[in-house]
Every structure is written in structure tokens, then in C-alpha cells.
Amino acid sequence: MHPPDHEAPSADSADLADSADSGHSPEAGRKEWIGLAVIALPCLVYSMDLTVLNLALPRLSAELAPSSAELLWIIDIYGFLVAGMLVTMGNLGDRIGRRRLLMMGAGAFAAASTLAAFSGSAEMLIAARAVLGVAGATLAPSTLSLIRHMFRDANQRTTAIGIWISSYSIGGAIGPVVGGVMLQHFGWGSVFLVGVPVMVLLLALGPFLLPEFRDPEARPLDFLSAVLSLLAVLSVIYGMKLVAQDGMGWVPGLAVALGLTVGVLFVRRQRTLADPLIDFRLFRAPQFTASLGTFIVGALVMFGAFVYIGQYLQLVLGLSPLAAGLWTLPWSGGFILGSILAPAIVRRSRPVFVLAGGMALGAIGFAMLSRAPSLGLTALVIGMLTLSLGFAPVFTLGTDLIVGAAPPERAGAAAALSETSSELGGALGIAILGSIGTAFYRQGMADAAPDGIRPEVLKIAEDTLGGATAAAAQLPEPASTLLRDAARTAFGHAFQITVIIAAVVTAATAILTLLVLRRPRGGAETAGEGTPAVNRPLADS
């Protein structure tokens, strides 16, 4: 099935925003909604695959005996390649067909999952995880761009995207539970086999329930652009990860500089191509640029804060890993509920107020998290729930605005850009907020560490809270308790400062979003009758 021919997108922002959905938008029927359920399944598995591996690491390490470097690659290679391949895969789907690419990715994901489950060495598992990353990169842009094609009515599409985002939240929530059950009865490889039946089901039902869509006039994929995008994203994310792990140094600085340099070359090349991987004319649409910026900031503060929450629950409040995981369920539950309620909110309020209001609610959530050192678990749970309820409509509507701003034949590329922005925002958040928190923690330890601790032990304790806890366990009383209490106090203070910074950044983004999107732009913001909600003017008429 091929779409009708479309005119090349105009440089004018109004054309970019409205060309996809001008005129009458037919409502989706039962087949499309059943197809959405099929689309949501691989997204759920993708999200689960990001969480279940952590539970299997102890057994995996005992059986495969990987080196420390190999263990890091086992953990990281999947996310690295997903982030690096998103733009390429989104564009490839526009060219060869979104359903075809999704089917290819599902088949590769099932095969690589099986290979990972039965890996006999660390090298084999790293290779399998790499293939999983490439296959996983096909899922988000293919499924999201198919939603863009299947649900032409704007209200239905917002609902569909809310369900799509909820599938990721559900996967993240049940991943540790499913993984724990599998590891209770089977070996470590079983955590990779959970997704195989789901991918087989997608392969069986997809050709019957999902439409095919591609750009009939697309030129071949520019290989050099694909290489440049991969190198740019991987270098920046790798550098940011090193900053979060070891602090700023010449290696992470060189990696980030290389990524930014390659990124500049990538942008310059896109401006010279007739059919680029990223059409930068999309950025002339205010709703596209503002939504993408809000999306990145949301990912930055959310990922940056969540790194601390797990440590706070276990190492400060003293909860077991299972109890800590259960107390994070309100976080996932808030995202699920917020994503489901987002369409109803959008129908009753202008998109600009949804974006700004969601960020404002997120800022309140961060402010509540900052009360954790004094209020304990209550503040954490209420803060996490408030955060997720605020950010869920932001991510749902932001995704809708980003994909809706692109013409249908470029929906895959726009979807990939949305997901890549999330990955980059998350990496930046972990690096920036992680570095800030680490600096305040070390300063707090330097000021509050008890006397009489050997310098080498104190150095370990000042590095991380986990290191301090392990070091304290080796000391006699009362030095052990004093060091542990000092580390917990220092970490609580660092956590408090970090989430306050996140609250300020989130509140400032809410205000900036409100100012930018309410600013009238004359005719470029005028939509005709029948224009979907996401493409209506965000400014007051």
C-alpha cells in the first residue's frame, strides 16, 4: 500500500505544521485500534529490556566472568546503539516502508534476544546486545510514524500517542517484577527470552493489522549522513556518560568535542542535500522547536533526578532493592495515568497551557523531592507521583506536536528526532545533574567526615555513597556508624540541592514555553477549519 503523492514541504512554518493534516481527517476504526495494541507490545518489551538486565548482572557475572570493561559494554552497548541509530532508522522507514522496517526489526530483535539468552561468553553477549540495540532503534520511529499515519484525527492521535507512551511506562514498571520472577525459576538468560513471543506475535499480526506507508519519491539513504549522525550521537552520549561516572577529564571532553564537531558537519551536509536525514526547515515552525526544546529539558531533569532516587531509597533510607523498586511504582503509575488523561486535558485546554502547566507541576514535584531529607519517604513518593503526572502530558503532547509538524512522508524522521532528543536529554541530565550532585556530596563529606578515618578509606567514601557504605562496613564501631551517617547526610544535602536546581530549570522552561508559544506570528499561526488540535495555533486567537 502506497500513499498518494505529496508536495515537497514548504519552508514556511505554517505549511510545515499544517500540510500533514489539512482538510478532513477521517477517524480511525476498530482495525487501527487493534493495530495500536500490536504496536504497543514491542514498545513495552523495549522498555523492559532496559531494566531487566540489571537484575541478572550478579548471576551473569558469576557465569560468564566478564572483565570490568566487558561488563560496562554489556550494560551500555544496547542503549548506545539505540540512540545512535534512531535517526538513520527513522529515515530508512520513510524510504522502504515503516511496516517493513518494523517487521525486520522485530525479527532481528527476537533472534538477537535468543542469541543473548544462550551466550556462552562475554564477547558473544556484547555482540548480541549490539544487534539488539540496532533492532531496538527500529521500534520507536516505526511505531510512532505508523501512529501518525493510522490516526489522522488529531484527538484520536493524541490518545494513541498517550497509549504508546504508557506502554513504555508499563514496561519499565513490570520489567523488574517479570525479571525477578524469571530469575527466581530460571537462569540469567531467561530475562532476554521474555520479548521473543511478543516479537513473534508482532510478526504474525503486523502484516494484517498495520498499513504500509513510505515516501514514494524518496531518494536513497545518504550513507555518509548516517555515519555522521551515528558518530555524533555516540560520541556525545559516551562523553556525557564518562563525565557522570568519573567527572570531567580530557577523555570525556575530547569525546563530546568530537561529537559536536561531527554534529556540525552533519548539519552542514543536511543543508546541501535534496533529501536530508533531518529537514531543518521543520525548526522554522515555532510549535516544533518549542516542543522539541521542552522535550529535551524534560528528559534532562527527569533522568538526572531519577539517578539519585534509587540510591536515596536504598542507601539513605535503608530499603531493600525489592522494596525500593516497589516504592518507585507510583512514578510509573503517574506516567501511565498522565498519558491516558493527556488527550482529555488537551481537548479542554490549549496545548501551550498543557505544556507549560505540566512543566510547572513537574517543578512542584521537584520541590517536594527536596523535602525528602526532612520528611523522608512520604516526600519522595508524593514528589515522584507529582513529577510523573506533570511530565506525562508534556511528553505525550510534545511527541504529538513534533510528529504532527512534519509532513506524513517525513514522519519517521521526525519520530526519530523526538526519540534521539530524549536520549540526548537523558544523557545530559545524568552528566550535568550527576556532576553537580557529586561535587556537593564530596564537599559535604570533606566537611563532615569523622576524625580518625584513614586517608585511603576516606577517599573511597568521598567518591560515592555506595563506596562510603562499603567502606563503613569494614570499620569498627563507632567509626562505622559515624562515617555512614556523615555520608548519608552529605548525600541528602547533595540530593536536595540537585532537585532544587531541577525545579528552577523546570519552572523557567514552563515560563519560557508560555511566552514563546503565546507570541503571535501573524498568518503563520492561522489554521483553517478542520485543522487538528496539535496544529492549531498555540497563541490566543
Side-chain angles (χ1 to χ4, degrees), residues 484-500:
R484 187 182 297 110
D485 289 345
R488 288 175 173 173
T489 301
F491 187 87
H493 180 63
F495 173 72
Q496 188 175 45
I497 292 175
T498 302
V499 294
I500 288 174

Side-chain angles (χ1 to χ4, degrees), residues 44-84:
L44 185 147
V45 170
Y46 164 87
S47 184
M48 286 178 58
D49 214 63
L50 291 171
T51 57
V52 295
L53 178 63
N54 293 329
L55 294 173
L57 285 179
R59 291 192 192 179
L60 182 157
S61 299
E63 292 191 24
L64 299 185
S67 66
S68 58
E70 288 173 336
L71 189 61
L72 286 176
W73 280 113
I74 290 171
I75 297 170
D76 293 335
I77 191 66
Y78 176 76
F80 279 171
L81 285 178
V82 166

Side-chain angles (χ1 to χ4, degrees), residues 197-211:
V198 174
M199 295 303 172
V200 171
L201 182 65
L202 174 61
L203 289 169
L205 298 180
F208 301 100
L209 294 173
L210 303 178

